[in-house]
Amino acid sequence: MMGHHLQPFALHFLALTFPLVALGFSDETLEKATKSEGYCSRILRAQGTRREGYNEFSLRVEGDPEFYKPGNNYRVTLSAATPAYFRGFTLIALKEGKEGDKEEDHAGTFQIIDEEETQFMSNCPVAVTESTPRRRTRIHVFWTAPPVGTGCVILKASIVQKRIIYFQDEGSLTKKLCEQDSTFEGVTDKPILDCCACGTAKYRLTFYGNWSEKTHPKDYPRRANHWSAIIGGSHSKNYVLWEYGGYASEGVKQVAELGSPVKMEEEIRQQSDEVLTVIKAKAQWPAWQPLNVRAAPSAEFSVDRTRHLMSFLTMLGPSPDWNVGLSAEDLCTKDCGWVQKVVQDLIPWDAGTDSGVTYESPNKPTIPQEKIRPLTSLDHPQSPFYDPEGGSIAVVARVVIERIARKGEQCNIIPDNVDDIVADLVPEEKEEDDTPETCIYSNWSPWSACSSSTCDKGKRMRQRMLKAQLDLSVPCPDTQDFQPCMGPGCSDEDGSTCMMSEWITWSPCTVSCGMGMRSRERYVKQFPDDGSMCKVPTEETEKCIVNEECSPSSCLVTEWAEWNECSASCGIGMKKRHRMIKMTPADGSMCNTETTEVEKCMMPECHTIPCMLSPWSEWSDCSVTCGKGMRTRQRMLKSAAELGDCNEELEQVEKCMLPECPIDCELTEWSKWSECNKSCGKGHMIRTRMIKMEPQFGGAPCPETVQRKKCRIRKCLRGPGLEKRRWKEAREKRRSEHAKEDVDGELYPGCKMRPWTAWSECTKLCGGGIQERFMTVKKRFKSTQFTSCKDKKEIRACNVHPC
C-alpha cells in the first residue's frame, strides 16, 4: 500500500481512579479549585500518596494498535491483574503536551458502555468516572478518535486503591498512539497519486488460504468450507471495486453472500476504459489443503501507467457476507518504477449486506445497507472470531503479488535490480472456467445483438440454462454472461466508420403471382468522424415467389406471416405461420392451397429445475431440560410444486446434550429389627438399610440408614446371687448355642445344616453399617415334609457411632 503519512497526532489519555473525598478534597477545596484552576485541570493534580511503576494495573486499547484512524471507535479497557483491584477511576483524553486547562486541550469523545459501571463526571463532562465506588477489576468504555490533523497521542492511566494513587508516565499504564496513515490496514480512502512509471508490467497473484479448523477452531464449518472464486482487476484510480467505508455494489454483494463472481465480472467489464486486466482464479473446495496436495490458486495480470492499481476479493464460505481481498493496491513506485513484490496478510471484512454473526447464520439482510468494515474480535459473543480481551483476529489468508515481466522503455529514477524486461508480454492465459463441479449447465447460446445501436459502448448477452445443481450448499453462478460491444458497423480502430440504423422490414413482393422482387432499407445515423462519405449499402433487394401457379384454377394468396412462438419453452416444439387467400380460382374450382405451415422448432435443452429451498431455521430447544435429548430444524420449499417433486429433506434431527439430570439417593428396604442388645432391663434394637445409589448432579441426599428403638425383656434380678446367676445363664446360653450347631436336626427338622459362617466386615467405618453371616443346608432328609429346610441369613448393625 502507498505510504502517504499525514501529520502526526497526539492524544494524552489519563485514567485516574480515586474517590475525591478519600483524596482530601472538601467542598471548600473543590470550590476553590474550580474557581482558581482551568478546565478539568484539578483532576490532574489530585492529592494523595503516589506510587510509580505499579505493573498490576494496565490500560489497553482494543487490538493493541500503534496508530488510530480519525473518527474510528476504539474499546478502551482499564484492568487490574488478580488479586489486585481498584474502587473508582477517571478517564481523560488530552492532546500531547497539553495540560487540560482548556476545552480544546481534550481530544476525541467517550461513549458509556455500562451505565451501572461508568458515567461522565459532573464537574468535568469530557471525563468518565465510576458510577458507584466498589471493588472492580475491569472497566470498558468506547473512545471516538478526533478528526484528521489533531496531533500524536498518549494514553495515560492513574488509579487509586484506598488512599494510594497508582500512576505511570511510562509502562503498562501509558500508551502512545499516533494518527494512522490512511493507507494503514488496507483503508482505501487515501489520495492516490498519478503514476510516473513507463511501459507495462506483468504480475502473478498467488493466494494462500490459512483458514482451517486448526487455526480457527471455534464453530469451524466442517461440511462446506471453501474460498469462492477470486475476482478482481487491474484498474485506474477512477474505478473502485470495493473499499473500507464504502458501500458494496451488487457484484460485491453477490460475491460476499453467494460466492458468485459473475455479477462482479460484469461490473468490471463494463468499466472497460478503466480496467486493463480482469483477474480470475478458481474456487477452492475445501478451504485448506496442504500445498503438496493442491497448488495455491494464482492468476496473472498486467498494469500500465494509467491502470496501475489492482483490487480483488474472495468470500470465505459459508458466511453471512465475509470476504478477504485487497483494494486499490498501487504497484507503481514513487521512483517511477514497478513494485517487485507485495506480501499481505489478510483478515476478513464485512460487506455490510447481511447481519448474520456466525458462519452458518440464516439470511438476515442488513437494512439499510451498512458500510464495508473489517471484522473485529469484539463484534458479537457468538462470532467465531470473538475474543473478550479484544485481541487481533488470526490471519485467514496471505496474498503474494510478484512481478514476472516488464515491457517497453522503463524510466526508473532508481535502477531496478531485477532484469525481467521482455520484448513482448505474453497475453494473459485464457481465463479458466470457475464454475463449480456441482453445477451442470447447457452450452452457451449465441451472443445477442448489441444493446447500443450507435457507436457508443453497449453490451451484448448470452445465456445458458442450469440443468442440475448436485449440491444445494454450493451456489451456482448466474446463467447470463455479458460482453462490451458497439453498434452495427462500429469499430474502435476505424475513424471512417458509418453508424447505421437497423434494417427496416422487407417490402411486399412486387407481384401477386409468380416470382417478383422485394427490398428493405436502412439509413445513416451518424457520418464518419473524419468527414468521409459512407460506403455502406443502405438498400438490399432479393427475389420473392408468391402463388407459384398462375393459372385460372390457382388461388391467389398473401405472403406468409412471421412464425408464431415455439410451442415448447425447452426442447423440441412446433411453430406455425399463416397466410390468407386473396382471390379464389377464376374457374370457380376449390382452392387447395395451404394457408397454414407447421415445422419443428428447437429451444434450449430442458433440465430438471432444482429444489428452491429456504435457509435452515435455527435449531429448536433441546427436547429435554437435562441429559440427552433431540433438537430439530426446518426449511421450506420455495419453488412451485408444479415444477416437480423435491426429494430434499425439509427437517433435520440431531442429538443434544444438556447438563446431567439430578439423581436422587436410592436405598434398600429396611432390614428386620435386631435382637435386643440386653438380656434384661432396658435396651435397644436396631435396623439398617443400604445405599444402592449415591446422589449425583445435585440430587436429593441420602436419609438415615440406621434406626433404633427401645426394648425391654424382663427386669434384672438383684441380690447376693446375682453374679452367680448371670454366670450360670451365660454358660447355659453357650451350651445351647453349641447344641444348636451340633444338633441341627432339632432346630431345623428334616435338615442337616452347616455351621454359621463368620460375620462379614462392616460395610461402613462409622454412621451405621451392616454385617452378614450365612448358614447353608448340608443335607435334606427324604422323609421330611417340612418346607423350612433352606439356607439361612442373619444381618446385624455395626459401627453405629456417628462419623
Side-chain angles (χ1 to χ4, degrees), residues 2 8 12 16 35 45 47 141-142 145 168 195 294 314 332 378 511 544 572 597 654 658 668 713 739 771 802:
M2 292 182 65
H12 188 123
L16 304 170
K35 291 179 179 178
R45 303 186 180 94
Q47 303 173 31
V141 294
F142 279 126
Q168 221 162 4
C195 177
R294 180 184 67 196
T314 175
C332 181
L378 290 168
V511 298
C544 54
I572 299 175
E597 191 173 47
E654 72 172 14
L658 294 176
T668 62
I713 298 181
Q771 290 177 295

Side-chain angles (χ1 to χ4, degrees), residues 393-406:
I393 292 178
V395 169
V396 297
R398 169 175 288 183
V399 63
V400 176
I401 302 169
E402 195 165 11
R403 196 181 74 200
I404 56 177
R406 289 176 294 161

Side-chain angles (χ1 to χ4, degrees), residues 424-442:
D424 197 4
L425 290 179
V426 179
E428 275 71 36
E429 296 176 7
K430 185 179 183 300
E431 295 162 355
E432 296 185 37
D433 182 9
D434 53 20
T435 302
E437 296 176 357
T438 55
C439 301
I440 310 301
Y441 290 92
S442 66

Side-chain angles (χ1 to χ4, degrees), residues 247-248 253 321 350-355 364-372:
Y247 291 97
K253 178 182 178 182
D321 59 346
D350 189 303
T353 61
D354 191 291
S355 300
K364 188 179 179 182
T366 302
I367 301 174
Q369 184 174 332
E370 295 178 353
K371 294 179 179 179
I372 296 172

Side-chain angles (χ1 to χ4, degrees), residues 150-219:
T150 312
C152 247
V153 176
I154 299 172
L155 305 182
K156 183 177 180 183
S158 295
I159 63 174
V160 170
Q161 203 179 42
K162 295 182 180 178
R163 291 180 178 271
I164 301 173
I165 304 173
Y166 294 103
F167 76 101
Q168 221 162 4
D169 289 326
E170 298 293 340
S172 64
L173 288 177
T174 301
K175 184 171 179 63
K176 183 173 182 178
L177 295 178
C178 286
E179 183 175 345
Q180 175 186 302
D181 176 353
S182 60
T183 64
F184 187 71
E185 287 192 354
V187 176
T188 54
D189 55 0
K190 61 183 180 294
I192 299 171
L193 300 181
D194 290 334
C195 177
C196 58
C198 300
T200 57
K202 189 170 184 179
Y203 288 86
R204 178 182 292 113
L205 176 152
T206 308
F207 182 85
Y208 299 95
N210 192 41
W211 176 52
S212 66
E213 189 170 14
K214 182 177 180 181
T215 58
H216 298 78
K218 184 180 178 184
D219 300 332

Side-chain angles (χ1 to χ4, degrees), residues 461-583:
M461 181 185 72
R462 61 176 181 172
Q463 292 180 304
R464 59 181 177 178
M465 300 188 73
L466 180 63
K467 299 173 69 176
Q469 187 173 2
L470 304 181
D471 185 350
L472 294 177
S473 66
V474 180
C476 291
D478 288 347
T479 56
Q480 294 180 328
D481 188 20
F482 296 87
Q483 192 178 71
C485 60
M486 296 172 66
C490 294
S491 168
D492 284 327
E493 291 77 24
D494 188 1
S496 61
T497 302
C498 295
M499 186 176 67
M500 308 298 295
S501 70
E502 297 293 330
W503 287 104
I504 299 171
T505 55
W506 290 102
S507 67
C509 198
T510 56
V511 298
S512 59
C513 182
M515 181 179 291
M517 299 295 293
R518 65 177 183 174
S519 63
R520 64 176 183 175
E521 297 176 342
R522 62 178 177 177
Y523 58 92
V524 178
K525 296 182 68 176
Q526 183 176 320
F527 286 93
D529 293 337
D530 59 5
S532 60
M533 295 299 293
C534 283
K535 299 178 181 178
V536 180
T538 58
E539 184 177 0
E540 282 185 345
T541 58
E542 68 174 15
K543 294 179 181 179
C544 54
I545 298 177
V546 183
N547 302 310
E548 296 180 11
E549 294 184 14
C550 297
S551 64
S553 61
S554 62
C555 296
L556 295 182
V557 294
T558 63
E559 293 185 70
W560 287 107
E562 297 294 326
W563 289 101
N564 294 340
E565 291 185 3
C566 192
S567 61
S569 58
C570 65
I572 299 175
M574 304 299 290
K575 63 180 180 180
K576 295 180 181 179
R577 64 177 181 174
H578 303 276
R579 60 182 177 180
M580 298 175 64
I581 297 175
K582 294 174 66 176
M583 185 180 296

Side-chain angles (χ1 to χ4, degrees), residues 91-247:
L91 301 176
I92 273 199
L94 296 176
K95 299 176 185 177
E96 186 179 38
K98 300 297 182 180
E99 295 296 327
D101 53 358
K102 300 176 182 177
E103 184 174 359
E104 55 266 28
D105 290 354
H106 298 261
T109 55
F110 289 107
Q111 298 175 44
I112 301 299
I113 295 177
D114 185 350
E115 293 183 352
E116 294 183 0
E117 288 284 340
T118 56
Q119 64 178 357
F120 291 106
M121 290 186 71
S122 58
N123 56 350
C124 183
V126 294
V128 179
T129 188
E130 76 282 352
S131 295
T132 54
R134 63 174 182 82
R135 285 194 178 198
R136 49 174 58 82
T137 60
R138 183 185 302 269
I139 63 95
H140 301 283
V141 294
F142 279 126
W143 175 71
T144 303
V148 173
T150 312
C152 247
V153 176
I154 299 172
L155 305 182
K156 183 177 180 183
S158 295
I159 63 174
V160 170
Q161 203 179 42
K162 295 182 180 178
R163 291 180 178 271
I164 301 173
I165 304 173
Y166 294 103
F167 76 101
Q168 221 162 4
D169 289 326
E170 298 293 340
S172 64
L173 288 177
T174 301
K175 184 171 179 63
K176 183 173 182 178
L177 295 178
C178 286
E179 183 175 345
Q180 175 186 302
D181 176 353
S182 60
T183 64
F184 187 71
E185 287 192 354
V187 176
T188 54
D189 55 0
K190 61 183 180 294
I192 299 171
L193 300 181
D194 290 334
C195 177
C196 58
C198 300
T200 57
K202 189 170 184 179
Y203 288 86
R204 178 182 292 113
L205 176 152
T206 308
F207 182 85
Y208 299 95
N210 192 41
W211 176 52
S212 66
E213 189 170 14
K214 182 177 180 181
T215 58
H216 298 78
K218 184 180 178 184
D219 300 332
Y220 188 77
R222 295 184 178 180
R223 274 193 319 120
N225 61 85
H226 67 284
W227 291 104
S228 72
I230 291 172
I231 183 68
S234 56
H235 58 91
S236 72
K237 64 181 182 180
N238 298 325
Y239 176 49
V240 177
L241 275 75
W242 70 271
E243 63 179 343
Y244 289 129
Y247 291 97

